[in-house]
Amino acid sequence: MIIFTHHTGEPHGLMGPQVAATFLQRRLSIPSIVVGIERDFSKEQLLRFIDQYYKGGGKIVAFSHLCGRKDIFELAQDLKKEGFITILGGPQSWQDYHGEMEVDSHPNRFKGLKSMMEVGFQGPVDGLRPELLERRGVCSKYPWTKNLFLEVDWLNIYTFSDTLKKLEVRLGQVLNTIGCPYACKLQTVTLPPPINLLERGIPDLKVRSEGCIFCDVSWDKGYHGSVEHGQVITQIAGLPDVDGRKIPFELIDEYPICSLDKLLEDTKRHEIKISQINLVCRVDDINAHASELVEILSTAQRLDVKIMFASIGFESFCDRLLQYFCKGITMADIVRCVETLRRLKDKFKEYLLYRREEGANHGFIRPTPWDDSETLQEMDRNIFLHRFFEDILPEHSTPLIIHHASCLGDWIRQIEAKTGITFSRAGTWIEWWNPSLK
């Protein structure tokens, strides 16, 4: 089986699809490879490769982690027409398989991928059984637990642009926590309509949020606690080696700081030489553990291990937008976080990485539906005043993406239900900037 997924072509592995391929091979005896499809790929060449790969074999192909790419959806549709059984797995598979609610009365809404994906599977790959692969017209669910299959064949990944290429992974992933604890924070926020609809007299609307309001992961996975520590060490031990050390890896955990010291000491005790740990985390984790970071970085320095804050979820430099995002932080929190990082950088030099030129890419969402002269001026003022352009600001901001299965998707549907205005859909995304005012 081929598991197709989105890929940029950079030398990083994809834990989810690669765990799935490893499970299929080792537990179900189904030979499998992961193929990351780059943008602007040659569909003609890819279809030729697929035809050759499956020659004389069962025509079952899987898709995972597609990042809303319509070109990959079209590929699935083409393969289904050619007689393949198409399977959808990975993040948001249940929601993407079934689509939005009330599509009969709202034909503009996303109808789901069930017309092109014959089989759906939601949850960790542990629950996958051979008979599920042929249950057409069904999306099965399997619950998340702490005891997961986490073996990864990091050599089993390829990319495709105009030909199949073996990918030499130089950045791996290690699962430390399943989901995000902040997703358990239920709150209600009052949101105004998009700025381009203010003159339509649309009232402010109350929206229920689970964690960050734009997060589709909170609906998909929620939070299920930490992985057993021994499994974390086993995952690290299974990473590829380069020059006698494990390749850098992202520790999958939105609140990773508390586990770092034990992780460093245990890898030393097990004689596992690691090179760099990348963190994708929240501002409040750094602020809450600023004092512990001194000891953690001292241990990392002693072990010659770099700690990189690869992506911190700042998201905005405007208090009003942070409130709309339900980030649970303020501009004062962001300033405190950045000052901590700068102070630690002066002390630990190359053992603490967080700057843009060091490879970090921090969260900055812009444009948003609520950008006006006031929010833009506040952001620009804060960026200049606190010198975020020197080290924090990414080269490119990320437009606010509304996945149909997110709390903001509910907000859009409320506007549609109350006004008759409709918003265009682009695959699994809702185009908040593209309303129909008929």
Side-chain angles (χ1 to χ4, degrees):
M1 184 190 299
I2 299 176
I3 300 177
F4 286 115
T5 185
H6 159 77
H7 206 284
T8 62
E10 297 173 359
H12 59 78
L14 298 169
M15 186 175 188
Q18 286 182 259
V19 166
T22 307
F23 181 88
L24 289 167
Q25 291 202 137
R26 296 180 183 177
R27 294 292 176 87
L28 302 185
S29 300
I30 300 174
S32 302
I33 62 172
V34 177
V35 176
I37 302 178
E38 299 181 43
R39 295 190 185 275
D40 300 320
F41 71 98
S42 169
K43 184 187 287 189
E44 180 183 352
Q45 295 289 350
L46 182 57
L47 290 173
R48 186 175 293 123
F49 159 72
I50 294 169
D51 184 63
Q52 185 63 35
Y53 181 88
Y54 281 94
K55 195 170 185 178
K59 291 186 170 185
I60 303 178
V61 62
F63 294 82
S64 174
H65 186 65
L66 304 183
C67 295
R69 283 180 52 182
K70 291 187 287 184
D71 55 350
I72 302 182
F73 299 158
E74 291 168 1
L75 172 66
Q77 186 75 67
D78 291 343
L79 291 175
K80 181 184 175 184
K81 289 178 180 176
E82 292 187 17
F84 281 80
I85 297 175
T86 51
I87 301 172
L88 178 66
Q92 294 86 47
S93 53
W94 176 269
Q95 295 91 334
D96 288 350
Y97 184 86
H98 291 287
E100 291 182 80
M101 60 191 76
E102 300 176 354
V103 292
D104 291 338
S105 55
H106 296 82
N108 64 300
R109 293 184 180 177
F110 173 58
K111 295 176 175 58
L113 302 178
K114 50 187 175 291
S115 65
M116 61 190 73
M117 303 288 188
E118 295 188 289
V119 180
F121 184 83
Q122 169 80 20
V125 72
D126 306 56
L128 193 59
R129 298 293 179 266
E131 59 270 19
L132 294 180
L133 300 179
E134 300 194 24
R135 290 184 61 188
R136 304 192 187 194
V138 175
C139 185
S140 305
K141 275 189 175 183
Y142 190 78
W144 289 92
T145 66
K146 294 184 181 182
N147 186 25
L148 300 173
F149 178 90
L150 291 173
E151 298 174 28
V152 187
D153 180 358
W154 289 105
L155 302 178
N156 187 18
I157 183 170
Y158 302 79
T159 59
F160 198 99
S161 179
D162 52 11
T163 187
L164 189 73
K165 296 179 182 177
K166 183 88 170 179
L167 187 70
E168 189 172 358
V169 176
R170 285 292 175 262
L171 176 65
Q173 292 180 306
V174 168
L175 182 65
N176 193 46
T177 298
I178 304 166
C180 175
Y182 190 68
C184 298
K185 184 174 177 59
L186 304 181
Q187 51 198 317
T188 299
V189 63
T190 301
L191 297 178
I195 197 73
N196 60 340
L197 296 179
L198 281 180
E199 296 180 356
R200 308 285 295 191
I202 302 171
D204 293 354
L205 298 171
K206 292 186 181 299
V207 182
R208 183 172 177 267
S209 177
E210 301 176 21
C212 299
I213 200 165
F214 48 79
C215 182
D216 51 326
V217 175
S218 65
W219 281 28
D220 170 65
K221 194 181 278 90
Y223 175 62
H224 299 277
S226 299
V227 174
E228 196 274 324
H229 187 68
Q231 279 191 297
V232 177
I233 299 301
T234 300
Q235 290 178 73
I236 296 172
L239 291 166
D241 293 284
V242 173
D243 298 330
R245 287 178 175 263
K246 297 300 177 183
I247 60 171
F249 62 90
E250 175 195 336
L251 190 66
I252 302 175
D253 188 343
E254 299 291 330
Y255 288 88
I257 294 175
C258 282
S259 61
L260 285 179
D261 204 47
K262 181 173 175 54
L263 188 150
L264 289 166
E265 293 292 355
D266 282 358
T267 52
K268 178 192 175 187
R269 183 165 57 86
H270 286 87
E271 298 183 346
I272 303 171
K273 294 184 177 180
I274 59 178
S275 56
Q276 180 173 308
I277 304 173
N278 287 10
L279 307 178
V280 176
C281 68
R282 288 175 47 86
V283 167
D284 51 326
D285 193 33
I286 296 171
N287 287 346
H289 302 101
S291 57
E292 291 100 313
L293 276 171
V294 175
E295 183 177 345
I296 291 167
L297 288 165
S298 296
T299 302
Q301 187 176 45
R302 175 166 51 85
L303 299 176
D304 193 24
V305 176
K306 295 178 180 179
I307 304 294
M308 175 183 232
F309 286 91
S311 183
I312 302 169
F314 298 115
E315 314 309 358
S316 183
F317 304 107
C318 165
D319 275 318
R320 176 150 59 95
L321 293 181
L322 289 170
Q323 181 183 358
Y324 291 165
F325 291 164
C326 297
K327 284 298 299 179
I329 58 173
T330 64
M331 265 307 304
D333 296 323
I334 290 176
V335 172
R336 179 182 164 199
C337 172
V338 174
E339 288 178 347
T340 295
L341 293 174
R342 288 170 174 169
R343 185 170 61 253
L344 291 170
K345 180 69 173 177
D346 289 340
K347 181 177 177 61
F348 292 101
K349 311 299 184 195
E350 71 272 17
Y351 289 97
L352 170 63
L353 309 176
Y354 79 92
R355 297 175 61 92
R356 178 180 56 250
E357 67 269 20
E358 294 170 332
N361 185 30
H362 301 302
F364 179 32
I365 299 175
R366 180 174 177 173
T368 80
W370 310 285
D371 293 339
D372 57 24
S373 59
E374 182 180 318
T375 62
L376 294 175
Q377 287 175 14
E378 181 182 343
M379 276 192 286
D380 291 343
R381 182 171 61 251
N382 283 325
I383 288 168
F384 178 78
L385 181 63
H386 301 291
R387 310 189 330 276
F388 293 151
F389 55 84
E390 293 181 2
D391 52 358
I392 292 297
L393 209 64
E395 291 186 8
H396 304 286
S397 62
T398 302
L400 180 67
I401 293 171
I402 299 182
H403 187 270
H404 72 93
S406 69
C407 299
L408 281 177
D410 278 349
W411 172 65
I412 289 289
R413 285 184 286 272
Q414 279 195 64
I415 295 175
E416 290 180 329
K418 289 178 179 295
T419 66
I421 295 171
T422 59
F423 292 82
S424 297
R425 269 59 170 178
T428 58
W429 296 352
I430 301 176
E431 296 181 327
W432 54 263
W433 60 90
N434 192 14
S436 172
L437 303 180
K438 293 181 182 179

